[in-house]
Amino acid sequence: MRWWQTAVVYQIYPRSFADATGDGVGDFAGIRGRLDHLAWLGVDALWLSPIFRSPMKDFGYDVADYCDVILHPYRRLLALRRASPALHAGSCRLLEGPAGVLAYERAAGTERRIVLVNFTGERVSVAAHGRVEIASDRAGEGQPYAGVVARGQALVLRA
């Protein structure tokens, strides 16, 4: 059986799930702040309702541009997940990061990976160490992590 055939999938509508900034609109920082609750419930995967750019006449379902979200890093992350025990199984620990940035560490045995995903519209400094193994825009792959995640960029660091 494939993992998704027995997985618990939880759908989140980001605008209403959790508001970390206090402006009345849910955000990625709010989702990030509740990930431990979802893990405690036994959730294996998240399904996010529309996260594409939208004029918001239909609460995000009126998508203006299906390419205006970082889709290609996830394909590359899935490819690495198959080859890397640290991304496929093992422990997962959220790391401190600025609002709008998802940062977590996965470890299996001696293998460790740090995943950084910047959902903001600007460059963000994130404290982490390692070599860039995968970058959504292929920038800096094989190089030491420079401490900054570009706008809309996803990185996997070999710690």
Side-chain angles (χ1 to χ4, degrees):
M1 239 185 227
R2 304 235 184 219
W3 73 269
W4 46 266
Q5 291 175 306
T6 58
V8 174
V9 179
Y10 189 87
Q11 183 174 4
I12 291 175
Y13 182 60
R15 291 181 55 83
S16 64
F17 181 73
D19 173 21
T21 59
D23 65 359
V25 178
D27 45 48
F28 285 109
I31 294 170
R32 182 174 176 255
R34 300 292 192 275
L35 289 177
D36 55 341
H37 299 251
L38 296 171
W40 180 83
L41 289 171
V43 172
D44 298 306
L46 294 178
W47 177 286
L48 294 181
S49 292
I51 55 173
F52 303 99
R53 189 166 52 82
S54 164
M56 294 307 291
K57 293 178 182 168
D58 192 21
F59 299 103
Y61 287 89
D62 50 335
V63 175
D65 185 352
Y66 283 98
C67 297
D68 194 23
V69 70
I70 50 174
L71 294 175
H72 56 284
Y74 300 109
R75 290 186 194 109
R76 299 188 71 212
L77 287 174
L78 286 172
L80 180 64
R81 183 177 183 264
R82 289 186 195 104
S84 169
L87 287 175
H88 180 68
S91 66
C92 182
R93 178 175 66 95
L94 283 176
L95 302 174
E96 289 297 319
V101 175
L102 176 62
Y104 64 93
E105 178 183 71
R106 291 292 307 251
T110 60
E111 192 174 335
R112 286 181 44 231
R113 297 291 190 284
I114 295 173
V115 178
L116 306 171
V117 183
N118 181 357
F119 291 101
T120 73
E122 54 196 48
R123 293 170 49 94
V124 183
S125 294
V126 179
H129 300 285
R131 288 186 104 47
V132 177
E133 188 166 35
I134 290 182
S136 58
D137 54 4
R138 299 191 188 267
E141 289 184 339
Q143 302 299 314
Y145 171 62
V148 175
V149 184
R151 173 182 161 256
Q153 186 181 46
L155 298 174
V156 174
L157 309 178
R158 181 183 284 270

